[in-house]
Amino acid sequence: MTGTRQDPAADFTIEQNWHEYSAEEHAIWRLLFECQQRLLVGRACGEYLEGLGGLGVEANGIPDFRRLSDVLDAATRWRIVAVPGLVPDDVFFAHLAGRRFPSTCFIRRRDQLDYLQAPDVFHDICGHVPLLMNPVFADYMQAYGEGGLKALGLGHLQRLARLYWYTVEFGLIATPEGLRIYGSGILSSAGESVHCLEDPRPHRINFDLRRVMRTRYRIDDFQKTYFVIDDFQQLFDATRPDFTPIYREIAVLPDIEPDALVADDREFDPRRVRGKKMGRRLAAAQV
Ligand code: PHE
Ligand code: FE
């Protein structure tokens, strides 16, 4: 990485000014939080629910980033920094590489409860931060930041952005209890939390690095395809190799459309349970 950024303006960080949130803003947080709490039991992965519990994020209201950062720092050496919105790619990657998660401060309005194209504080804090309590995921995010700075230099940012999209934002994970959510974009959306697991239409395909990096995505609708990992260690191991030759290898291959299936895809069977065969009764209860 080139140079450390000392000037607060240069790294786009701002003050959260926690004391300035209005009662209405805290009330919107409560609504969103309570709704997701109900939906995410049995849908979010265990690592997420544990992280949320460990952070002490509650329905009470929008959390103070300073308090959350102290808990996070003690667990995995990550901190939260406040930013005004989307920041330039190089700034974003430099923050992740330095184990700083850039979070927006503002909260959506009451008439936008279920749909938002840009991240807000509920998405950033409730969606992203709990998984940063997990040591393997925490290291993956830092590695992603370093990989981002490298991809920028190589001109392959689009390929790497797809990896972020289909893992950090919209990833699913196969657990012994069945399919679960770990992607933040899903975790902070009531509609997609149900859609991604229960709707028969989207594809659920076993994670493959090259396949993911070739797949376009849409930002204006529920996903047409979700990629399923077995665990965070698999994701971390699959992304550890140097991407330079991989970028070169896939540069000559065509992109894959968001809803397309290709020859080597292995579609995930939502009733598949790792380790042992499921009894009939259990299987029926899961679908
Ligand atoms: N191994 C990747 C590279 O060489 C870096 C990376 C790690 C990217 C983890 C994403 C996630 O570019
Ligand atoms: Fe996000």
Side-chain angles (χ1 to χ4, degrees), residues 205-208 211 214 256 261-267:
I205 302 172
N206 285 339
F207 178 84
D208 176 89
R211 165 67 157 98
R214 289 177 55 200
I256 299 169
L261 285 177
V262 299
D264 293 332
D265 285 343
R266 282 184 303 140
E267 278 206 82

Side-chain angles (χ1 to χ4, degrees), residues 134 136-137 229-240:
N134 178 275
V136 180
F137 196 84
I229 61 170
D230 287 328
D231 51 45
F232 293 139
Q233 195 61 49
Q234 177 208 13
L235 179 61
F236 191 63
D237 292 344
T239 50
R240 196 197 308 272

Side-chain angles (χ1 to χ4, degrees), residues 119 123-124 128 164 169 184:
H123 167 77
D124 283 330
H128 285 284
Y164 191 87
E169 295 289 354
S184 316

